[in-house]
Short mmCIF file of all heavy atoms in Angstrom, two decimals:
data_model
loop_
_atom_site.label_atom_id
_atom_site.label_comp_id
_atom_site.label_asym_id
_atom_site.label_seq_id
_atom_site.Cartn_x
_atom_site.Cartn_y
_atom_site.Cartn_z
N GLU A 252 187.95 -118.57 9.95
CA GLU A 252 187.31 -117.86 11.05
C GLU A 252 187.19 -116.37 10.75
O GLU A 252 186.14 -115.76 11.00
CB GLU A 252 188.08 -118.08 12.36
CG GLU A 252 187.87 -119.47 12.91
CD GLU A 252 188.59 -119.70 14.23
OE1 GLU A 252 189.17 -118.75 14.81
OE2 GLU A 252 188.55 -120.85 14.71
N VAL A 253 188.24 -115.79 10.21
CA VAL A 253 188.20 -114.36 9.87
C VAL A 253 187.16 -114.12 8.78
O VAL A 253 186.30 -113.24 8.89
CB VAL A 253 189.58 -113.84 9.43
CG1 VAL A 253 189.48 -112.43 8.86
CG2 VAL A 253 190.56 -113.87 10.60
N ALA A 254 187.23 -114.89 7.71
CA ALA A 254 186.31 -114.70 6.58
C ALA A 254 184.86 -114.91 6.99
O ALA A 254 183.99 -114.09 6.65
CB ALA A 254 186.68 -115.65 5.43
N LEU A 255 184.58 -115.98 7.71
CA LEU A 255 183.20 -116.25 8.12
C LEU A 255 182.71 -115.23 9.13
O LEU A 255 181.54 -114.86 9.12
CB LEU A 255 183.08 -117.68 8.65
CG LEU A 255 183.29 -118.77 7.60
CD1 LEU A 255 183.44 -120.13 8.25
CD2 LEU A 255 182.14 -118.77 6.59
N GLY A 256 183.60 -114.77 10.00
CA GLY A 256 183.23 -113.71 10.94
C GLY A 256 182.83 -112.44 10.22
O GLY A 256 181.82 -111.81 10.55
N VAL A 257 183.59 -112.05 9.21
CA VAL A 257 183.27 -110.87 8.41
C VAL A 257 181.95 -111.08 7.67
O VAL A 257 181.08 -110.21 7.65
CB VAL A 257 184.41 -110.51 7.45
CG1 VAL A 257 183.99 -109.44 6.44
CG2 VAL A 257 185.64 -110.05 8.24
N LEU A 258 181.80 -112.24 7.04
CA LEU A 258 180.57 -112.53 6.30
C LEU A 258 179.33 -112.54 7.20
O LEU A 258 178.23 -112.22 6.75
CB LEU A 258 180.68 -113.87 5.57
CG LEU A 258 181.59 -113.88 4.36
CD1 LEU A 258 181.74 -115.29 3.82
CD2 LEU A 258 181.07 -112.95 3.28
N LEU A 259 179.52 -112.88 8.47
CA LEU A 259 178.40 -112.87 9.41
C LEU A 259 177.84 -111.46 9.58
O LEU A 259 176.66 -111.30 9.90
CB LEU A 259 178.88 -113.42 10.76
CG LEU A 259 177.82 -113.86 11.76
CD1 LEU A 259 176.93 -114.94 11.18
CD2 LEU A 259 178.48 -114.35 13.03
N LEU A 260 178.63 -110.45 9.30
CA LEU A 260 178.19 -109.06 9.42
C LEU A 260 177.44 -108.56 8.19
O LEU A 260 176.86 -107.48 8.22
CB LEU A 260 179.40 -108.15 9.67
CG LEU A 260 180.17 -108.43 10.97
CD1 LEU A 260 181.45 -107.62 11.01
CD2 LEU A 260 179.28 -108.15 12.17
N ILE A 261 177.46 -109.33 7.12
CA ILE A 261 176.79 -108.93 5.88
C ILE A 261 175.45 -109.67 5.82
O ILE A 261 175.43 -110.90 5.69
CB ILE A 261 177.67 -109.28 4.66
CG1 ILE A 261 179.02 -108.57 4.77
CG2 ILE A 261 176.95 -108.93 3.36
CD1 ILE A 261 180.05 -109.06 3.77
N PRO A 262 174.34 -108.93 5.95
CA PRO A 262 173.04 -109.60 6.03
C PRO A 262 172.79 -110.63 4.93
O PRO A 262 172.30 -111.73 5.21
CB PRO A 262 172.04 -108.44 5.95
CG PRO A 262 172.79 -107.29 6.53
CD PRO A 262 174.22 -107.47 6.08
N ALA A 263 173.14 -110.32 3.71
CA ALA A 263 172.90 -111.26 2.61
C ALA A 263 173.74 -112.53 2.73
O ALA A 263 173.38 -113.56 2.14
CB ALA A 263 173.18 -110.57 1.27
N ALA A 264 174.83 -112.47 3.46
CA ALA A 264 175.73 -113.62 3.58
C ALA A 264 175.71 -114.26 4.97
O ALA A 264 176.36 -115.27 5.19
CB ALA A 264 177.16 -113.19 3.25
N SER A 265 174.96 -113.67 5.89
CA SER A 265 175.05 -114.12 7.29
C SER A 265 174.57 -115.56 7.49
O SER A 265 175.13 -116.29 8.31
CB SER A 265 174.29 -113.17 8.21
OG SER A 265 172.92 -113.17 7.91
N ARG A 266 173.58 -115.98 6.74
CA ARG A 266 173.09 -117.35 6.93
C ARG A 266 174.13 -118.38 6.48
O ARG A 266 174.41 -119.33 7.20
CB ARG A 266 171.78 -117.55 6.16
CG ARG A 266 171.16 -118.89 6.46
CD ARG A 266 169.78 -118.99 5.89
NE ARG A 266 169.20 -120.25 6.29
CZ ARG A 266 168.17 -120.81 5.71
NH1 ARG A 266 167.57 -120.19 4.73
NH2 ARG A 266 167.71 -121.97 6.12
N ILE A 267 174.72 -118.17 5.33
CA ILE A 267 175.75 -119.09 4.85
C ILE A 267 176.98 -119.02 5.76
O ILE A 267 177.63 -120.04 6.02
CB ILE A 267 176.12 -118.85 3.37
CG1 ILE A 267 176.99 -119.99 2.85
CG2 ILE A 267 176.84 -117.58 3.14
CD1 ILE A 267 176.21 -121.03 2.14
N ALA A 268 177.28 -117.82 6.28
CA ALA A 268 178.41 -117.67 7.20
C ALA A 268 178.15 -118.46 8.48
O ALA A 268 179.05 -119.13 9.00
CB ALA A 268 178.64 -116.20 7.53
N ALA A 269 176.92 -118.39 8.98
CA ALA A 269 176.59 -119.13 10.20
C ALA A 269 176.75 -120.63 9.98
O ALA A 269 177.31 -121.33 10.83
CB ALA A 269 175.18 -118.79 10.65
N TRP A 270 176.27 -121.13 8.87
CA TRP A 270 176.42 -122.56 8.57
C TRP A 270 177.89 -122.92 8.39
O TRP A 270 178.34 -124.00 8.79
CB TRP A 270 175.59 -122.98 7.37
CG TRP A 270 174.15 -123.11 7.72
CD1 TRP A 270 173.12 -122.31 7.31
CD2 TRP A 270 173.56 -124.09 8.60
NE1 TRP A 270 171.94 -122.74 7.88
CE2 TRP A 270 172.18 -123.83 8.66
CE3 TRP A 270 174.08 -125.15 9.32
CZ2 TRP A 270 171.31 -124.59 9.44
CZ3 TRP A 270 173.20 -125.92 10.10
CH2 TRP A 270 171.84 -125.64 10.14
N GLY A 271 178.67 -122.02 7.81
CA GLY A 271 180.11 -122.25 7.69
C GLY A 271 180.78 -122.31 9.05
O GLY A 271 181.65 -123.15 9.29
N LEU A 272 180.38 -121.42 9.95
CA LEU A 272 180.94 -121.43 11.30
C LEU A 272 180.54 -122.71 12.04
O LEU A 272 181.36 -123.29 12.76
CB LEU A 272 180.47 -120.20 12.08
CG LEU A 272 181.11 -118.88 11.66
CD1 LEU A 272 180.43 -117.71 12.34
CD2 LEU A 272 182.60 -118.89 11.94
N ILE A 273 179.31 -123.14 11.85
CA ILE A 273 178.87 -124.39 12.48
C ILE A 273 179.73 -125.56 11.98
O ILE A 273 180.22 -126.37 12.77
CB ILE A 273 177.37 -124.63 12.22
CG1 ILE A 273 176.54 -123.60 13.03
CG2 ILE A 273 176.96 -126.06 12.57
CD1 ILE A 273 175.08 -123.51 12.62
N ALA A 274 179.93 -125.63 10.68
CA ALA A 274 180.77 -126.69 10.12
C ALA A 274 182.20 -126.59 10.65
O ALA A 274 182.82 -127.61 11.00
CB ALA A 274 180.76 -126.62 8.59
N LEU A 275 182.72 -125.38 10.73
CA LEU A 275 184.09 -125.18 11.23
C LEU A 275 184.19 -125.60 12.70
O LEU A 275 185.16 -126.27 13.09
CB LEU A 275 184.49 -123.72 11.06
CG LEU A 275 185.90 -123.36 11.51
CD1 LEU A 275 186.94 -124.08 10.66
CD2 LEU A 275 186.11 -121.86 11.45
N LEU A 276 183.21 -125.24 13.50
CA LEU A 276 183.23 -125.62 14.92
C LEU A 276 183.20 -127.14 15.09
O LEU A 276 183.87 -127.68 15.97
CB LEU A 276 182.07 -124.96 15.65
CG LEU A 276 182.25 -123.46 15.89
CD1 LEU A 276 180.92 -122.81 16.24
CD2 LEU A 276 183.28 -123.20 16.98
N ILE A 277 182.46 -127.80 14.25
CA ILE A 277 182.43 -129.26 14.30
C ILE A 277 183.78 -129.82 13.85
O ILE A 277 184.31 -130.75 14.46
CB ILE A 277 181.27 -129.81 13.44
CG1 ILE A 277 179.93 -129.43 14.08
CG2 ILE A 277 181.40 -131.32 13.24
CD1 ILE A 277 178.72 -129.65 13.19
N ALA A 278 184.35 -129.23 12.81
CA ALA A 278 185.63 -129.71 12.28
C ALA A 278 186.78 -129.54 13.26
O ALA A 278 187.69 -130.38 13.29
CB ALA A 278 185.95 -128.99 10.97
N VAL A 279 186.77 -128.48 14.06
CA VAL A 279 187.88 -128.24 14.98
C VAL A 279 187.67 -128.89 16.35
O VAL A 279 188.55 -128.84 17.21
CB VAL A 279 188.19 -126.73 15.16
CG1 VAL A 279 188.54 -126.10 13.82
CG2 VAL A 279 187.07 -126.01 15.85
N PHE A 280 186.53 -129.53 16.55
CA PHE A 280 186.26 -130.17 17.84
C PHE A 280 187.34 -131.18 18.24
O PHE A 280 187.74 -131.22 19.41
CB PHE A 280 184.87 -130.81 17.87
CG PHE A 280 184.49 -131.31 19.23
CD1 PHE A 280 184.05 -130.44 20.20
CD2 PHE A 280 184.60 -132.66 19.53
CE1 PHE A 280 183.73 -130.89 21.47
CE2 PHE A 280 184.27 -133.13 20.80
CZ PHE A 280 183.83 -132.24 21.77
#
């Protein structure tokens, strides 16, 4: 969560971070 949240702030990494957060949200459901 910390790493993907930080990556979401980096334009070049924000798309992969968003997909990582989506996967994480599904995994913790």
Side-chain angles (χ1 to χ4, degrees):
E252 287 182 6
V253 171
L255 293 168
V257 169
L258 287 174
L259 197 58
L260 298 172
I261 301 169
S265 64
R266 187 171 184 198
I267 191 96
W270 283 111
L272 288 171
I273 290 167
L275 181 64
L276 286 163
I277 292 167
V279 300
F280 187 78

